[in-house]
Each structure stands twice: as structure tokens, then as C-alpha cells.
């Protein structure tokens, strides 16, 4: 089961679960992702091998998609 | 802050906010290293010349030499201390304890077993990249260059001020993993120099992180 997670003031919040054969779950995850992107969050698909890819759409085969805030030089 | 226009190619969307900067690559990092070395030499030469020449002209001027040597020692140390500031412990308003625990657990899930122990002890993550080995903290990162003798200090942070400390580290880690070159471009380089010079200005936790990073390069 894949997860959409938002890093926030609570530590993190699981916004949605989905699996490729779960149409309703996938649509809910897609909608949640778009809503958070519109709020200014950025999405990263995090893979078990330690790599990560910035994404704008829900990657169905990814196990973990994380929403983060932008970073900037201090 | 507008960051929504990019990312189709996997690059950091935050690059749009620093579009005037040259994208960091191995050559630009080496140039930065050389520039910092030349800058320190330019600072040192006048003081060292003064310290050597004045006593030769008049022994009584040895007193001035002592001051010149003190400046020659202090100026690089001040720059290194500024660099070390990127891993200074986070002292802003803390999130509540349960949020910190959750964030720390989540950060632990993002890293391997070896790094998880380091995270628990120091709050820092050590991550190997193409440019060297990174030590990532809540408000900046060190990049230990190949060979383990030289380090670059980057000031970079997440823009949300209310996040738990471990989440701040996770933000930087994910950005680094997604686009290392973009990460080094967005971050501000505050210092580049020898590891030994930086080490004495770091906290105990940051020194441990630096030691782990150097060990992974050797």
C-alpha cells in the first residue's frame, strides 16, 4: 500500500493510501496531492534505495510520496 | 515565493528563486574552493609579511609582529566559525515533544540503519552524494569533498518556521536526494576550507557527523 505523507507541525500526517488496483484510493490520493501542491507544498517520491524524485503528479508505482515545504538559502 | 513552475525534469522547483545563479557542478565547486583559498591567502600575506619584516627593521617592532600574527591566526578562525554556524543546534521555538518524536521517527525511516543511529545521537544525517559526503542539519549542511580534507559549509533551511527540528533535516535531505546540484545551487556557500580548521568550531554532535562523513570518504 502506497502512502502520501505531508511533513507538518505534527511531525507528519498521512493524507492518503492507495494501490494501483484501487481506483477510488488512487483518485483520493491524486486529489489530495493536487490540493497540497496548490497550497505551496512540493512533492517528492522517496524510494527504498534512498533516492528521491521531485514529482508533480501522483506516481502510482511509488511506495512513498512526501510533501515538503520549499527550502531557501539562509 | 513562487516555486510551482518547474520540476517536470526532476530538478528542484526552488531553483526558480535563484535563476541568476550558475548551476552547481564539480567544476564550480572546485572554483569556489580555489576562490576561498586565494581569499584566505590574500588576508594572510599582509599580516605575515608585517610580522616577519618589522622586527628585521627594528627589533622593538616585534610587539607589532605579535599583533600581526594574532590577526593572521584570528581571521581564518573567524571565517571558519561562521561556516560552523550552519550546523549550530536549532534554538528557535521548539515544536511539541510528540511532534518531535514523530518527526524523528520519520527521519529515521528515510535513512539506513547506520545513519539511523547517528540521527538518534546527533540529530544529523550523513548522506553520500556525487560531490562528496553531506552532513545535513536543520539549518544547513556540510559537504566533505572527496579525499576528506576539505569541507564546504552551506546555509539552507526550510521556509516554514513551525516545523519540528527533525522535519527540517528531512526537508533538506529530500531536496538533496532529489537534486544534489540544485540543492548546492539554492544553498548559500558560507565557507570552504580545511576540515581541521572547521572541526574546532563545531558542536560535539556536529564533530561526530563530520568524522563519520570523513570516514566514509577514506
Amino acid at each position: 500500500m502506497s502512502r502520501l505523507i505531508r511533513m507538518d507541525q505534527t511531525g507528519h500526517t498521512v493524507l492518503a493510501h492507495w494501490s494501483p488496483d484501487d481506483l477510488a484510493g488512487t483518485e483520493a490520493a491524486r486529489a489530495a496531492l493536487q490540493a497540497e501542491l496548490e497550497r505551496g507544498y512540493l512533492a517528492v517520491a522517496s524510494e527504498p534505495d534512498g533516492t528521491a524524485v521531485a514529482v508533480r503528479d501522483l506516481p502510482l508505482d511509488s511506495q512513498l510520496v512526501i510533501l515538503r515545504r520549499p527550502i531557501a538559502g539562509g | 515565493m513562487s516555486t510551482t513552475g518547474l520540476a517536470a525534469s526532476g530538478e528542484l522547483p526552488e531553483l526558480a528563486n535563484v535563476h541568476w545563479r550558475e548551476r552547481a557542478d564539480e567544476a564550480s565547486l572546485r572554483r569556489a574552493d580555489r576562490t576561498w583559498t586565494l581569499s584566505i591567502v590574500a588576508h594572510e600575506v599582509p599580516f605575515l609579511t608585517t610580522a616577519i619584516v618589522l622586527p628585521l627593521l627594528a627589533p622593538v617592532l616585534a610587539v607589532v609582529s605579535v599583533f600581526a600574527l594574532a590577526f593572521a591566526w584570528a581571521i581564518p578562525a573567524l571565517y571558519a566559525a561562521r561556516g560552523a554556524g550552519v550546523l549550530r543546534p536549532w534554538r528557535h521555538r521548539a515544536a511539541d515533544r510528540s511532534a518531535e518524536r514523530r518527526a524523528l521517527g520519520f527521519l529515521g525511516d528515510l535513512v539506513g540503519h547506520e545513519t539511523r543511529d547517528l540521527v538518534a545521537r546527533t540529530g544529523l544525517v550523513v548522506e553520500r552524494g556525487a560531490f562528496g559526503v553531506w552532513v545535513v542539519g536543520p539549518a544547513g549542511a556540510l559537504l566533505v569533498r572527496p579525499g576528506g580534507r576539505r569541507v564546504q559549509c552551506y546555509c539552507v533551511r526550510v521556509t516554514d518556521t513551525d516545523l519540528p527540528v527533525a522535519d527540517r533535516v528531512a526537508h533538506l535531505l529530500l531536496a538533496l536526494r532529489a537534486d544534489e546540484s540544485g540543492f548546492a545551487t539554492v544553498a548559500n556557500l558560507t565557507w570552504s576550507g580545511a576540515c581541521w580548521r572547521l572541526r574546532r568550531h563545531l558542536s560535539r554532535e556536529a564533530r561526530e557527523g563530520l568524522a563519520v562523513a570523513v570516514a566514509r570518504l577514506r
Side-chain angles (χ1 to χ4, degrees), chain A residues 11-12 50 68-69 71-72 74, chain B residues 14 102 157 167 171 177 188:
Chain A
H12 65 269
R68 67 173 180 86
R69 283 296 193 185
I71 62 168
Chain B
E14 289 94 333
R102 278 168 66 82
R157 62 186 67 192
D167 259 0
H171 271 77
R177 284 178 172 178
N188 291 338

Side-chain angles (χ1 to χ4, degrees), chain A residues 1-21:
Chain A
M1 185 70 89
S2 302
R3 293 176 299 159
L4 175 65
I5 286 178
R6 181 185 63 206
M7 290 196 283
D8 55 25
Q9 291 87 344
T10 69
H12 65 269
T13 304
V14 179
L15 298 179
H17 289 97
W18 79 94
S19 58
D21 55 348

